[in-house]
Amino acid sequence: MKVTDHIAKAQGNPQFTFEILPPLKGQSIDAIFESIDPLMEFKPPFIDVTYHREEYIYIPLEDGLLKRQVVKKRPGTVGICAAIQNKYQVDAIPHILCGGFTKEDTENFLIDLDFLEIDNVVALRGDAVKNETYFSPEKDGHTYAVDLVKQIDQLNHGSYLDVELQNSACTDFCIGVAGYPEKHMEAPNLESDLHFLKKKVEAGAQYIVTQMFFDNEKYFDFVKRCRAAGIEVPIIPGLKPLATKKQLNLIPHRFHVDLPEALIKEAIKCKDNAAVRQLGIEWCSAQSKELLDHGVPVLHYYSMGKSDNIRQIAKRVF
């Protein structure tokens, strides 16, 4: 079932969803199931599975030169999605990126998903690889998420890269995209960021999932700005509980979001990470309740493979 159908079927009752990471190469999928199992009591209608693009490592050679080697540390997104749908009978939503994909790769990826009856995707540009300062697309790949959305939408209308195909089947993907309440790090300002978000919706995106935020006013203002700009699709808030003191610096650096002063002060007072974790649960629970009071359709949690604190929040909220 499509995300938009899940929201319509819920008839205003809030839904609990979450996102997981594929395991590191060499690890069992059982680790994924162990993180999902404790959260199934809250009846998630869908589970997101991230996609991690390639990385480059440099291997020293005997002559002193370096050999560049491509590695994928977290493969398996499509297989994990199929396994989740088979085991739990809930929709799994793979992320699909511009980075690391040619247009042909994208089409083949989507064909595989369609054959597996996976009918939701989240279309993202993706980050630059570690040795790049700025994002660089693949040769014959997409530079921007809006172009990726267009390709998916064209496939939904039976338009493939091979224009000579006859009687080609239409896919039926529900397309989600990312929104940034505090602005994408590369956008010159909020207005510009909103302009390009609207372009993604006009290209075929049917819902938005936000970057994590720790101040609900950022989300409320973002939704208000979206509606004023004519963006009417569902906007799902993304939440992540603070878990360690290190994240006070890591989260702003990695995700380009601000932490509220009140949360920072309380975290600094904590004697250890166990106390920070509990603070994160309480803060995220309060965030969740306020968002539900404002009628959000879904609460989406970034679990990062850790389910215990998400479960404690869900027990308080749902």
Side-chain angles (χ1 to χ4, degrees):
M1 187 183 295
K2 295 182 178 181
V3 167
T4 48
D5 292 334
H6 281 298
I7 292 172
K9 185 179 178 182
Q11 297 182 334
N13 294 316
Q15 298 176 313
F16 164 84
T17 68
F18 58 96
E19 178 179 297
I20 61 171
L21 302 172
L24 289 167
K25 182 181 287 188
Q27 294 183 355
S28 168
I29 196 172
D30 290 341
I32 295 292
F33 296 150
E34 288 170 5
S35 68
I36 293 175
D37 286 345
L39 300 177
M40 291 308 297
E41 66 175 286
F42 306 105
K43 297 180 173 55
F46 55 87
I47 299 168
D48 276 38
V49 183
T50 63
Y51 188 96
H52 286 250
R53 64 175 301 186
E54 77 285 355
E55 296 181 16
Y56 299 113
I57 60 173
Y58 291 87
I59 301 172
L61 301 177
E62 291 183 359
D63 58 6
L65 298 176
L66 296 174
K67 176 184 177 181
R68 190 172 83 159
Q69 182 171 318
V70 179
V71 296
K72 293 192 74 169
K73 292 185 176 181
R74 292 183 182 271
T77 294
V78 175
I80 291 167
C81 286
I84 287 172
Q85 293 200 164
N86 180 65
K87 180 177 176 64
Y88 298 105
Q89 304 300 306
V90 302
D91 286 300
I93 305 180
H95 292 187
I96 180 169
L97 309 180
C98 295
F101 284 79
T102 66
K103 294 172 188 175
E104 184 75 22
D105 292 334
T106 296
E107 184 170 276
N108 292 334
F109 186 90
L110 293 166
I111 289 170
D112 283 344
L113 297 178
D114 186 50
F115 288 165
L116 290 167
E117 298 184 344
I118 294 170
D119 53 9
N120 297 281
V121 293
V122 174
L124 306 166
R125 190 199 69 176
D127 298 327
V129 294
K130 288 183 178 179
N131 64 319
E132 294 176 341
T133 302
Y134 298 105
F135 174 83
S136 178
E138 292 294 304
K139 184 179 180 181
D140 196 33
H142 295 301
T143 302
Y144 301 108
V146 65
D147 298 315
L148 176 56
V149 171
K150 288 177 182 177
Q151 183 178 3
I152 301 168
D153 184 68
Q154 286 166 357
L155 211 62
N156 281 348
H157 289 88
S159 178
Y160 290 71
L161 294 174
D162 183 353
V163 297
E164 296 182 0
L165 289 177
Q166 299 292 320
N167 301 316
S168 53
C170 298
T171 58
D172 192 25
F173 292 109
C174 179
I175 308 168
V177 293
Y180 298 86
E182 299 178 61
K183 187 181 78 65
H184 189 275
M185 63 177 178
E186 294 177 18
N189 57 40
L190 281 167
E191 287 72 23
S192 174
D193 203 23
L194 205 62
H195 168 79
F196 289 108
L197 177 60
K198 187 176 181 181
K199 291 292 185 185
K200 289 190 284 187
V201 173
E202 292 172 344
Q206 294 162 272
Y207 71 98
I208 296 165
V209 182
T210 76
Q211 174 66 281
M212 69 181 69
F213 56 90
F214 294 84
D215 180 352
N216 285 351
E217 289 302 320
K218 305 275 183 153
Y219 171 81
F220 297 142
D221 182 64
F222 176 68
V223 173
K224 183 179 178 180
R225 286 172 175 266
C226 285
R227 301 310 184 216
I231 298 172
E232 298 296 337
V233 300
I235 301 174
I236 298 172
L239 300 170
K240 175 179 171 54
L242 189 71
T244 67
K245 281 194 175 184
K246 184 178 180 180
Q247 289 178 343
L248 292 175
N249 303 113
L250 179 62
I251 288 174
H253 175 73
R254 177 67 180 82
F255 300 102
H256 304 275
V257 299
D258 288 337
L259 299 178
E261 186 65 19
L263 177 59
I264 296 170
K265 287 181 177 179
E266 290 302 316
I268 291 173
K269 292 179 188 176
C270 292
K271 294 181 179 180
D272 52 30
N273 281 336
V276 175
R277 190 176 184 81
Q278 187 59 39
L279 170 64
I281 291 168
E282 293 170 1
W283 186 277
C284 193
S285 297
Q287 269 193 279
S288 300
K289 291 175 182 178
E290 184 181 28
L291 289 164
L292 293 183
D293 287 343
H294 280 72
V296 300
V298 180
L299 290 177
H300 187 69
Y301 296 91
Y302 297 112
S303 72
M304 310 300 286
K306 309 293 183 181
S307 61
D308 179 64
N309 54 352
I310 304 298
R311 182 173 183 273
Q312 290 191 50
I313 292 164
K315 286 179 69 175
R316 297 178 181 209
V317 176
F318 291 90

XYZ file of all heavy atoms in Angstrom, residues 1-4 6-7 15-19 43-48 84 90-93 120 207 209 236 298 300:
234
model
N 0.842 -1.191 0.000
C 0.000 0.000 0.000
C 0.880 1.246 0.000
O 1.940 1.272 0.616
C -0.901 0.011 1.255
C -1.926 1.135 1.261
S -2.910 1.192 2.792
C -3.787 -0.359 2.681
N 0.434 2.268 -0.685
C 1.199 3.500 -0.757
C 1.153 4.259 0.567
O 0.190 4.151 1.328
C 0.659 4.380 -1.875
C 0.832 3.805 -3.265
C 0.298 4.771 -4.306
C 0.496 4.231 -5.711
N 0.003 5.179 -6.724
N 2.191 5.055 0.811
C 2.232 5.879 2.017
C 1.011 6.786 2.081
O 0.377 6.936 3.126
C 3.528 6.713 2.057
C 3.448 7.802 3.132
C 4.729 5.816 2.307
N 0.654 7.384 0.970
C -0.501 8.280 0.944
C -1.795 7.532 1.255
O -2.696 8.081 1.891
C -0.611 8.971 -0.423
O -0.484 7.990 -1.468
C 0.499 10.008 -0.590
N -1.902 4.817 3.222
C -1.835 4.545 4.664
C -2.350 5.747 5.450
O -3.114 5.602 6.422
C -0.399 4.241 5.084
C 0.051 2.846 4.778
N -0.555 1.734 5.332
C 1.056 2.387 3.984
C 0.055 0.643 4.893
N 1.031 1.014 4.074
N -1.939 6.932 5.045
C -2.359 8.145 5.751
C -3.861 8.353 5.610
O -4.555 8.654 6.592
C -1.584 9.364 5.214
C -0.095 9.251 5.591
C -2.171 10.668 5.760
C 0.786 10.302 4.957
N 0.220 7.732 13.047
C 0.923 6.491 12.760
C 2.382 6.587 13.178
O 2.997 7.645 13.109
C 0.819 6.168 11.263
C -0.617 5.945 10.797
C -0.711 5.717 9.308
O -0.119 6.443 8.519
N -1.463 4.712 8.893
N 2.909 5.460 13.609
C 4.298 5.337 14.058
C 5.102 4.640 12.976
O 4.750 3.549 12.525
C 4.328 4.521 15.351
C 5.690 3.983 15.718
C 6.597 4.779 16.400
C 6.058 2.682 15.390
C 7.857 4.290 16.750
C 7.311 2.181 15.729
C 8.211 2.991 16.408
N 6.188 5.271 12.517
C 7.074 4.643 11.542
C 8.524 4.926 11.930
O 8.799 5.795 12.756
C 6.817 5.168 10.114
O 7.223 6.542 10.030
C 5.348 5.044 9.747
N 9.432 4.207 11.304
C 10.841 4.415 11.624
C 11.715 4.019 10.447
O 11.253 3.411 9.473
C 11.241 3.642 12.884
C 11.016 2.146 12.820
C 12.033 1.286 12.465
C 9.772 1.602 13.131
C 11.836 -0.095 12.404
C 9.550 0.235 13.083
C 10.581 -0.616 12.720
N 12.988 4.386 10.562
C 13.975 4.158 9.509
C 15.114 3.318 10.070
O 15.537 3.518 11.206
C 14.495 5.513 9.017
C 15.572 5.435 7.940
C 16.003 6.828 7.504
O 15.152 7.564 6.969
O 17.184 7.184 7.720
N 2.630 -1.296 15.582
C 1.983 -1.473 14.285
C 2.411 -0.422 13.240
O 1.569 0.308 12.700
C 0.463 -1.469 14.449
C -0.051 -2.621 15.294
C -1.560 -2.585 15.433
C -2.084 -3.826 16.133
N -1.499 -4.096 17.425
N 3.690 -0.350 12.952
C 4.126 0.595 11.909
C 3.550 0.193 10.554
O 3.635 -0.977 10.164
C 5.650 0.465 11.919
C 5.907 -0.909 12.455
C 4.825 -1.157 13.461
N 2.961 1.127 9.813
C 2.450 0.786 8.485
C 3.559 0.632 7.454
O 3.382 -0.026 6.433
C 1.538 1.969 8.153
C 2.111 3.119 8.924
C 2.638 2.519 10.195
N 4.705 1.270 7.711
C 5.833 1.133 6.802
C 7.132 1.391 7.553
O 7.164 2.021 8.609
C 5.714 2.062 5.587
C 5.535 3.522 5.905
C 6.629 4.352 6.123
C 4.269 4.077 5.979
C 6.468 5.706 6.414
C 4.090 5.434 6.265
C 5.189 6.239 6.478
N 8.225 0.869 6.981
C 9.572 0.999 7.540
C 10.498 1.447 6.417
O 10.518 0.835 5.345
C 10.069 -0.335 8.126
C 9.157 -0.805 9.259
C 11.516 -0.213 8.610
C 9.416 -2.242 9.703
N 11.247 2.510 6.641
C 12.216 2.991 5.650
C 13.541 2.252 5.794
O 13.974 1.956 6.913
C 12.473 4.486 5.839
C 11.431 5.348 5.148
O 10.249 4.963 5.171
O 11.787 6.401 4.607
N 11.718 -7.681 4.853
C 10.801 -7.030 5.799
C 9.355 -7.257 5.368
O 8.484 -7.602 6.191
C 11.112 -5.525 5.892
C 12.408 -5.300 6.680
C 9.958 -4.763 6.558
C 12.893 -3.863 6.669
N 4.481 -5.675 6.325
C 4.338 -4.221 6.307
C 5.134 -3.698 5.116
O 6.045 -4.372 4.624
C 4.826 -3.553 7.614
C 4.083 -4.088 8.826
C 6.331 -3.725 7.788
N 4.790 -2.518 4.666
C 5.489 -1.947 3.524
C 6.893 -1.507 3.917
O 7.089 -0.873 4.956
C 4.716 -0.759 2.972
C 3.478 -1.194 2.198
O 3.647 -1.921 1.203
O 2.368 -0.830 2.603
N 7.854 -1.846 3.073
C 9.227 -1.388 3.244
C 9.522 -0.364 2.164
O 9.142 -0.541 0.999
C 10.207 -2.552 3.141
N 10.189 0.718 2.551
C 10.432 1.820 1.622
C 11.930 2.016 1.444
O 12.618 2.513 2.345
C 9.790 3.120 2.135
C 8.302 2.903 2.415
C 10.013 4.243 1.130
C 7.594 4.140 2.923
N 6.686 1.928 -2.820
C 7.038 3.230 -2.268
C 8.546 3.402 -2.363
O 9.302 2.446 -2.145
C 6.635 3.344 -0.794
C 5.139 3.245 -0.576
O 4.403 4.197 -0.774
N 4.674 2.063 -0.160
N 4.736 12.882 -1.103
C 4.837 13.221 0.315
C 6.263 13.644 0.624
O 7.185 13.403 -0.160
C 4.393 12.052 1.208
C 5.331 10.866 1.249
C 6.251 10.706 2.292
C 5.273 9.879 0.272
C 7.096 9.607 2.345
C 6.117 8.778 0.311
C 7.024 8.645 1.344
O 7.870 7.555 1.392
N 9.242 13.839 3.806
C 9.735 13.460 5.134
C 10.824 14.449 5.510
O 11.743 14.697 4.724
C 10.306 12.031 5.155
C 10.762 11.667 6.565
C 9.286 11.027 4.663
N 5.715 14.730 6.706
C 5.939 13.840 7.851
C 7.163 14.316 8.633
O 8.250 14.443 8.066
C 6.153 12.389 7.371
C 4.900 11.876 6.644
C 6.523 11.473 8.530
C 5.098 10.530 5.968
N 1.830 11.357 10.684
C 2.779 10.282 10.977
C 3.923 10.868 11.788
O 4.324 12.014 11.567
C 3.356 9.671 9.671
C 4.347 8.556 9.993
C 2.259 9.153 8.749
N 7.823 9.908 12.347
C 8.846 9.059 11.733
C 10.137 9.198 12.533
O 10.660 10.307 12.691
C 9.067 9.497 10.286
C 9.978 8.601 9.512
N 9.636 7.321 9.153
C 11.224 8.809 9.013
C 10.619 6.780 8.463
N 11.609 7.659 8.375
